[in-house]
Amino acid sequence: MEAQDRGKKAAGERAVVDLVKPGMKLGLGTGSTAYWAIVKTGELYRAGKLPGLVVVPTSFDTEIQCQSEGLAVRTLASPEVDGQLDLYLDGADEFTPTLDCIKGGGAAQLQEKIVCDASKSFVIIADESKAVAHLGTKFPVPVEIASLARLPLTRRLEALGAKVVLRYGKGKAGPVVTDNGNLILDLTFEHPVDCGLMEAKIQTLTGVIEVGLFAGRAQLAYLGRSDGTCDVLTPRRD
Ligand code: 5RP
């Protein structure tokens, strides 16, 4: 296993061991770090240590993994969930000391933000490479859009200072189509963005479904290191 993967595994496993309790309604994220949290949740659940736990996945990919782990998979509309979750564990593409983050490297930011905002608590799980000083200049900010709005939105996002690229994937000709049937525009900026301000600005543009900026939402970050240790970070508030 590579050093970065050891960090992802440490963060995902440790967060589950510390935070996931019997009877919880748990939102589970998408990606290679969330993968380890789902594996650990499955292991504890099958061992009878998490009776009554139900999970809500944030993508088709996570739903398939949760089912293969034997977890009790629900939706936000399931009666025992009733639109409210106790905890949401997920990776991030980048996060700052204030725990603002970019998500959507796996094109799941719409479901991820819905699950996040339905949860009492959001905890980031990430390896060391994801901790940054500022957002917006390195890892692209993904925006899920209605396909009809691709060109008008490209121009409006450029006017906000972004370089805009339509996301293409692998194993299919043409652009990435999300689990919800939409397209993704990836934005990079010359200067760091104010996460909350840019999130609000982009959300107002017609044709935008959701942006992968998550401002002021995370309560904790589990930062996994390649030696298998993990730091638990709280948001810095200056
Ligand atoms: C998916 C996400 C992921 O959480 C994010 O891309 C981090 O992924 P990974 O843990 O594989 O680095 O937002 O939409």
Side-chain angles (χ1 to χ4, degrees), residues 104-175:
Q109 76 268 10
L110 171 60
Q111 303 94 297
E112 290 173 339
K113 201 176 276 187
I114 292 169
V115 164
C116 182
D117 287 0
S119 300
K120 286 183 199 144
S121 173
F122 166 36
V123 175
I124 295 170
I125 47 178
D127 66 273
E128 293 168 276
S129 71
K130 308 297 183 63
V132 297
H134 306 288
L135 301 178
T137 55
K138 222 173 63 186
F139 199 92
V141 174
V143 184
E144 182 161 350
I145 62 153
S147 58
L148 182 63
R150 179 175 62 88
L151 278 173
L153 270 176
T154 298
R155 300 295 163 251
R156 296 188 75 182
L157 291 163
E158 284 170 347
L160 291 179
K163 179 169 169 282
V164 182
V165 175
L166 178 65
R167 189 182 297 183
Y168 278 72
K170 296 192 185 111
K172 170 191 171 292

Side-chain angles (χ1 to χ4, degrees), residues 8 30-34 90-93 103-109 112 127 130:
K8 293 179 184 207
T30 297
S32 54
T33 315
D90 201 355
D93 298 305
K103 292 189 44 53
Q109 76 268 10
E112 290 173 339
D127 66 273
K130 308 297 183 63

